[in-house]
Amino acid sequence: MSPDKIIVLIGGIGLIGFIVWYFLMRPEEKEEARTEEGAQEIKILVERGYAPETIIAKKGILLKLMFERKEEDSCSERLLIPEFKINQFLTPNAVTEISFVPDKAGEFEFRCGMGMLHGKLIVKS
Amino acid sequence: MASKTVYLSGMTCASCALTIERTLKKQKGVKNASVNFALRKAFVDYDEKEANTEDWVKKIKERGYDAEVENDHPQEEGEKDREEKAREKETSELKRKFLIGLILSIPIFFGSYPMWFPWMPEILTDFRILLLLTIPVQFWVGLQFLRGMIAGFRHRSADMNTLIGIGTLAAFFFSAGVTFFPEIFPEKLRGDIYYDTSAVIITLIILGRYFEALTRGKASQAIRALVGLQPKTAHRIRNHESGIMNQEYDEVLIEDIKVGDLLLVKPGEKIPTDGVVVEGGSAVNESMVTGESMPVSKKIGDTVIGASINETGSFIFRAAKVGKDTMLSGIIKLVEEAQASKAPIQKLADLVTSYFVPAVLIIAVATFAAWYVWGPAESAFTFALLNMVGVLIIACPCALGLATPTAIMVGTGKGAQNGILIKGGEALERAYKINTIIFDKTGTLTRGEPEVTDTVLHSDKSPEVLISLAASVEKRSEHPLASAIVEHAKQKNIPIFEVSEFKSISGQGIQGRVDGDIIQIGRQSFLEANNIKINANVSRDIDRLSGEGKTPVLVGIGGNFAGIIAIADALKEHSAEAIKKIKQQSIETYMITGDHQKTAEAIAKKVGIENVMAEVLPKDKAQKVKELQEKGKIVAMVGDGINDAPALAQADLGIAIGSGTDVAIETGDIVLVKSDLRDVIRAIILSRRTVRTIWQNLFFSFFYNGALIPVAAGLLFPFFGILLNPILAGAAMALSSVSVVLNSLRLQRIKI
């Protein structure tokens, strides 16, 4: 095997390792909603995904999710929280507020309309 | 100066109102504020430049109340408008990008193959010219892919943009390298440039996205159409006096209508909100809301539905529900919620998509390395590069993502247009599996209002006299059968007289004196106890009527037997037809009722149902459903949603039949807005077709990716010499997601 082939082979294996580590072993970004004046609020950046992707909130207190959609690509235009029956259009390059009272504790998914982007809402009692 | 309404809550007394009023008046820029305690509203006049409405809310909340300023929250319509605008912007931009991409790609393509197109001017075959032509395609037409790729990298996530970005950039930069620094490449690679690959792929995928955006807009058309139905203004009557023609009215915005307002509707106008007719009458086309195709006649006391269209006459009605409480708003909300829900089948697609893109990246790297190391010696690099690009381009995660939501969107939208509200993916899937349907009798198969069906005479009295005398006495009774007779008399304009000596013997019958004659009404034993002779002919008639599912009421006049009035809860017009159609789908049918076995059987026979569950108390209905489920049947329960709620919940699929505005939206997995039983089978057919469409879409997208990625990687090459040109991969990718959406859109055209 010629040296260039060995380099490509080793480089390829290394790159695969990098892909696995970079995209699949990403640490979970968690953030707790701030409570102020009887309401909890958190800002979520929508750009190729949700940041933070895991939100922690308290049960029974009005929760304001401020989704800042920093893209025009239609993939992220809908925000669904099936458990709380929320189906909201997010205006591109703007902040859209979704507020509701999480009346049940547990882990709930939120996602885009096509189910490609995912986030998690943890409601603690 | 401007004015706004602030909606208040948490006020317990008039002094709270004063506190809030004082608080508001103290705010910067507020000129005047008045709080109406009864309406729970504050009306504020303020200077727009100085005032900050958010501060008002904050201050009111500090005092312990809750407040919301009007229009601070985007309204439903506004949201739809914004969505529509975003979509229009997207499609027009994609169209422009496609056209420019196309104009540039044509010379790039021809110029890249001078051996096939020798007639091309030589200048276009110059690598540097090709590079110049490709730059705008790669970096402007394809900018969205690059942006998406970079943003993805930053957030450590990869999607379709990553794949297209890497694929096209690899082809582009390799070609650019050959163009400027041919000497660093082995001699045999110096003639290879792939500007055409990158440019044509980007143009094709943009075309695909354009089609996808167009078709995706169509998928949500139904719900937008529903929102668009909402009328904008209404004529509010100032002082209601009799006579429709000389009313004075104000033109008001729909948001300003309050419950109790009197509104005038002229021919051809939309009815502004839900309410009850108080004067006049008309025929109303409700098809857009309920799916009912025939115009419905409306007279005083009838309910009208907001957003339906008044056809012929003018009328005045009292607003009963406004804003979010109207039937149309309820339907829109339900459909939106349904589209937010997730079909259980989608779980598999979700799992796949979360690993899909990184997996494709890994396959692409492996493809490159494998071809480079083990590929044909003379052109290993070319194969390695092209096959890697092919893998990256052909993979289409979007098709997987679009498979379920688009089908649910079109399916539920189609249902809503026909008065069938399906509450989400799970309901669809359960409807797909149903093999048994239980129908509640009263109000579902039948009208739920007992009516006089026959009058059988056994004397020389005319039917009118029989009904007239019976109705006169029954008018005093509170029995449900009594009201059927009285109602019948009223409808036929048969006179009802004063009664004296009225007497009611519970469970037996009633008697009274009309115009001198003693009238006795009741069962056989009651009349016989009063020395009225019942002969064999009468007994035969009684048996015959009972066998037809009717309740015979015997009437004696002046001590002699006069005749029988038969009362039945008539079947709805389309019940029998509906049952026949359901049986054609090989679904077993049951009827459940509290009626006596004999009556129940007679009705079941008439409507075509074989299995009868009679003498079932309302509270035991759920138990009966459970018994069938325990026998392994997958059961749908059809009921009116109010007293059948436990049974509807117990069933695998609860189908609630609403009528008019009383849609029992909370109960049931499927709500039928009209009370037409044929909608049951329509709902099931629609659900089955929708679920089938989801399966087709998922199969197609899994098969597409599963089969074509290995082909693009060159797995077939060692055996059959087959390789996939990356440009073909681009075309396939562009078509794949459009095919999925188009397949979903086919649901719009099915006949249900």
Side-chain angles (χ1 to χ4, degrees):
Chain A
M1 206 180 270
S2 57
D4 59 325
K5 288 186 177 177
I6 294 172
I7 292 169
V8 167
L9 210 53
I10 294 171
I13 292 166
L15 200 55
I16 288 173
F18 173 77
I19 292 168
V20 171
W21 170 76
Y22 194 77
F23 292 117
L24 296 177
M25 293 163 68
R26 181 167 41 122
E28 200 180 33
E29 268 183 83
K30 269 190 199 175
E31 200 179 314
E32 210 158 323
R34 283 178 301 115
T35 308
E36 227 172 71
E37 291 174 23
Q40 28 185 359
E41 189 178 315
I42 189 164
K43 195 167 173 178
I44 300 140
L45 175 68
V46 183
E47 194 183 25
R48 304 285 115 200
Y50 304 106
E53 58 179 348
T54 300
I55 297 158
I56 301 163
K58 290 185 205 81
K59 187 183 151 184
I61 300 171
L62 182 72
L63 175 63
K64 289 184 182 170
L65 302 173
M66 315 295 283
F67 282 94
E68 183 177 14
R69 185 172 157 216
K70 267 196 171 170
E71 56 190 359
E72 282 182 10
D73 189 295
S74 59
C75 286
S76 57
E77 68 180 17
R78 285 247 152 221
L79 192 279
L80 311 182
I81 315 179
E83 228 28 77
F84 293 99
K85 297 188 170 176
I86 285 163
N87 177 359
Q88 174 77 41
F89 174 73
L90 304 179
T91 313
N93 302 312
V95 178
T96 307
E97 180 188 320
I98 297 177
S99 46
F100 61 99
V101 178
D103 50 6
K104 44 196 163 185
E107 280 193 24
F108 310 105
E109 179 202 44
F110 61 90
R111 60 193 179 101
C112 72
M114 303 296 150
M116 307 294 270
L117 313 175
H118 299 268
K120 210 193 302 172
L121 169 67
I122 300 175
V123 180
K124 289 183 173 167
S125 51
Chain B
M1 272 292 260
S3 60
K4 262 195 194 291
T5 307
V6 182
Y7 298 90
L8 304 164
S9 52
M11 287 195 291
T12 50
C13 59
S15 78
C16 303
L18 278 177
T19 314
I20 293 174
E21 201 171 282
R22 273 201 297 270
T23 310
L24 280 170
K25 278 181 181 164
K26 269 190 254 165
Q27 299 307 306
K28 206 175 152 198
V30 172
K31 303 283 175 222
N32 194 22
S34 70
V35 173
N36 184 320
F37 176 63
L39 293 176
R40 301 279 189 276
K41 274 181 194 170
F43 304 98
V44 188
D45 295 328
Y46 65 102
D47 188 330
E48 283 159 287
K49 285 183 203 112
E50 287 180 55
N52 179 351
T53 54
E54 279 174 28
D55 272 356
W56 304 350
V57 175
K58 215 166 120 187
K59 292 288 174 196
I60 294 170
K61 281 183 177 168
E62 275 172 21
R63 301 279 185 285
Y65 311 104
D66 207 359
E68 196 177 321
V69 180
E70 67 167 327
N71 296 337
D72 268 11
H73 291 279
Q75 296 204 334
E76 205 60 21
E77 258 169 300
E79 180 188 319
K80 290 289 158 198
D81 286 347
R82 274 182 288 128
E83 192 170 359
E84 184 77 341
K85 266 196 206 113
R87 170 117 42 231
E88 270 166 23
K89 195 175 160 206
E90 188 189 7
T91 46
S92 70
E93 200 168 296
L94 285 169
K95 191 173 166 188
R96 202 165 41 139
K97 284 190 164 178
F98 165 69
L99 288 174
I100 290 170
L102 181 72
I103 291 165
L104 291 167
S105 293
I106 291 170
I108 296 170
F109 185 77
F110 287 125
S112 298
Y113 301 98
M115 54 292 200
W116 299 342
F117 310 105
W119 40 267
M120 282 300 290
E122 199 151 316
I123 185 166
L124 276 177
T125 61
D126 187 313
F127 288 178
R128 281 163 299 182
I129 298 297
L130 289 176
L131 171 70
L132 277 180
L133 290 172
T134 307
I135 284 174
V137 184
Q138 180 75 54
F139 296 99
W140 182 74
V141 176
L143 182 64
Q144 63 187 91
F145 305 127
L146 303 181
R147 266 199 193 145
M149 179 184 79
I150 293 164
F153 274 128
R154 246 198 344 253
H155 298 292
R156 294 180 72 166
S157 72
D159 60 12
M160 184 200 75
N161 296 302
T162 318
L163 301 176
I164 298 168
I166 296 177
T168 56
L169 283 179
F172 177 83
F173 281 116
F174 169 74
S175 309
V178 172
T179 305
F180 291 115
F181 313 104
E183 61 283 356
I184 61 165
F185 291 90
E187 187 146 358
K188 57 179 184 285
L189 287 180
R190 286 181 199 164
D192 290 346
I193 46 112
Y194 301 104
Y195 292 124
D196 60 317
T197 305
S198 146
V200 175
I201 285 173
I202 288 174
T203 307
L204 281 173
I205 294 175
I206 288 286
L207 177 67
R209 296 229 65 177
Y210 170 65
F211 283 142
E212 190 195 307
L214 279 184
T215 47
R216 230 166 356 102
K218 288 218 173 72
S220 53
Q221 218 168 29
I223 181 125
R224 275 205 311 279
L226 282 174
V227 174
L229 286 178
Q230 200 67 257
K232 305 267 185 288
T233 58
H235 314 306
R236 182 161 61 197
I237 309 274
R238 268 186 222 159
N239 296 306
H240 182 232
E241 285 157 21
S242 228
I244 289 191
M245 297 322 289
N246 41 28
Q247 292 296 331
E248 282 187 45
Y249 60 81
D250 297 311
E251 191 84 13
V252 292
L253 285 175
I254 204 81
E255 295 84 36
D256 296 333
I257 298 174
K258 292 181 227 30
V259 171
D261 280 355
L262 289 172
L263 306 167
L264 173 69
V265 186
K266 297 182 204 168
E269 287 182 341
K270 267 186 194 171
I271 296 173
T273 192
D274 296 357
V276 181
V277 177
V278 293
E279 198 182 332
S282 182
V284 173
N285 179 355
E286 295 182 342
S287 63
M288 53 295 293
V289 187
T290 65
E292 173 61 61
S293 54
M294 296 298 288
V296 186
S297 92
K298 300 286 179 187
K299 51 186 192 310
I300 293 171
D302 285 345
T303 54
V304 289
I305 306 170
S308 56
I309 293 173
N310 177 27
E311 294 201 327
T312 48
S314 297
F315 62 89
I316 294 171
F317 77 100
R318 190 181 301 280
K321 282 173 183 168
V322 295
K324 283 183 190 146
D325 304 323
T326 62
M327 180 160 166
L328 181 67
S329 300
I331 292 174
I332 292 169
K333 186 161 169 267
L334 204 103
V335 175
E336 277 194 330
E337 284 174 6
Q339 296 180 346
S341 76
K342 195 162 168 176
I345 331 177
Q346 207 186 346
K347 278 188 189 134
L348 179 65
D350 274 3
L351 188 73
V352 173
T353 49
S354 47
Y355 296 102
F356 185 81
V357 175
V360 173
L361 287 174
I362 290 169
I363 295 170
V365 172
T367 302
F368 184 90
W371 278 97
Y372 191 86
V373 175
W374 294 291
E378 66 283 3
S379 49
F381 181 83
T382 311
F383 278 126
L385 181 74
L386 288 184
N387 290 338
M388 179 190 79
V389 174
V391 168
L392 290 170
I393 298 302
I394 203 151
C396 187
C398 287
L400 283 170
L402 290 164
T404 318
T406 52
I408 291 183
M409 226 182 261
V410 179
T412 51
K414 167 102 184 170
Q417 284 172 329
N418 289 280
I420 297 164
L421 307 178
I422 302 167
K423 290 202 204 159
E426 217 165 314
L428 279 170
E429 277 189 43
R430 284 200 241 125
Y432 182 75
K433 294 178 189 149
I434 287 307
N435 57 26
T436 306
I437 303 183
I438 306 176
F439 291 90
D440 176 47
K441 193 207 92 181
T442 310
T444 302
L445 289 167
T446 65
R447 289 180 217 266
E449 296 153 2
E451 282 174 6
V452 172
T453 55
D454 309 69
T455 42
V456 185
L457 300 170
H458 285 270
S459 64
D460 54 358
K461 300 268 189 288
S462 72
E464 284 77 24
V465 171
L466 186 73
I467 293 288
S468 172
L469 294 173
S472 303
V473 184
E474 292 281 18
K475 197 164 189 282
R476 303 277 295 268
S477 164
E478 279 162 7
H479 199 273
L481 295 180
S483 62
I485 296 175
V486 175
E487 200 51 44
H488 184 73
K490 278 187 189 158
Q491 268 174 19
K492 300 257 151 133
N493 284 322
I494 295 171
I496 296 174
F497 302 102
E498 276 304 306
V499 178
S500 56
E501 301 167 37
F502 177 79
K503 213 161 78 183
S504 167
I505 296 99
S506 182
Q508 292 295 312
I510 53 170
Q511 70 172 42
R513 194 175 288 277
V514 180
D515 206 13
D517 279 331
I518 182 93
I519 316 289
Q520 277 136 344
I521 306 169
R523 34 175 89 215
Q524 192 170 349
S525 54
F526 176 69
L527 268 68
E528 278 169 345
N530 285 288
N531 299 321
I532 294 172
K533 255 182 95 183
I534 310 277
N535 62 31
N537 281 342
V538 177
S539 301
R540 246 201 325 276
D541 280 337
I542 292 173
D543 282 347
R544 177 177 59 83
L545 292 167
S546 307
E548 288 169 7
K550 296 167 184 168
T551 309
V553 176
L554 279 55
V555 184
I557 300 173
N560 296 310
F561 185 73
I564 308 170
I565 300 173
I567 294 174
D569 187 1
L571 284 176
K572 283 187 194 161
E573 200 182 344
H574 303 297
S575 294
E577 188 193 337
I579 300 294
K580 200 172 135 203
K581 284 193 174 150
I582 287 164
K583 284 169 145 180
Q584 281 167 2
Q585 300 283 323
S586 356
I587 294 171
E588 251 190 291
T589 51
Y590 282 78
M591 185 179 94
I592 196 163
T593 175
D595 287 359
H596 290 294
Q597 190 74 28
K598 202 173 164 193
T599 319
E601 270 169 14
I603 292 165
K605 202 175 154 209
K606 215 168 169 186
V607 77
I609 293 179
E610 285 126 15
N611 308 294
V612 177
M613 297 191 274
E615 294 166 50
V616 181
L617 295 172
K619 64 182 173 64
D620 297 332
K621 281 183 184 174
Q623 183 56 34
K624 288 281 174 190
V625 173
K626 209 170 166 189
E627 280 167 24
L628 283 182
Q629 285 172 322
E630 277 160 5
K631 286 183 195 153
K633 296 182 197 295
I634 302 172
V635 181
M637 167 83 199
V638 186
D640 59 17
I642 301 153
N643 44 31
D644 299 326
L648 289 174
Q650 172 64 39
D652 298 287
L653 181 79
I655 301 177
I657 292 215
S659 45
T661 44
D662 292 328
V663 182
I665 273 178
E666 287 304 315
T667 348
D669 304 302
I670 293 180
V671 177
L672 306 178
V673 180
K674 285 175 284 174
S675 35
D676 185 339
L677 264 196
R678 289 175 299 179
D679 282 347
V680 172
I681 193 66
R682 290 197 185 108
I684 286 173
I685 290 174
L686 179 64
S687 304
R688 287 183 170 178
R689 290 294 293 266
T690 309
V691 173
R692 209 180 307 157
T693 304
I694 295 174
W695 277 112
Q696 287 164 351
N697 286 348
L698 284 175
F699 175 79
F700 171 78
S701 43
F702 275 116
F703 179 80
Y704 166 88
N705 282 299
L708 291 188
I709 291 175
V711 174
L715 220 57
L716 294 181
F717 185 74
F719 312 106
F720 307 103
I722 295 174
L723 273 182
L724 193 67
N725 183 312
I727 290 182
L728 284 181
M733 148 82 178
L735 283 176
S736 64
S737 34
V738 177
S739 319
V740 165
V741 183
L742 283 178
N743 191 40
S744 296
L745 283 177
R746 284 197 314 142
L747 282 172
Q748 236 159 31
R749 282 207 301 267
I750 61 165
K751 273 193 87 173
I752 55 167

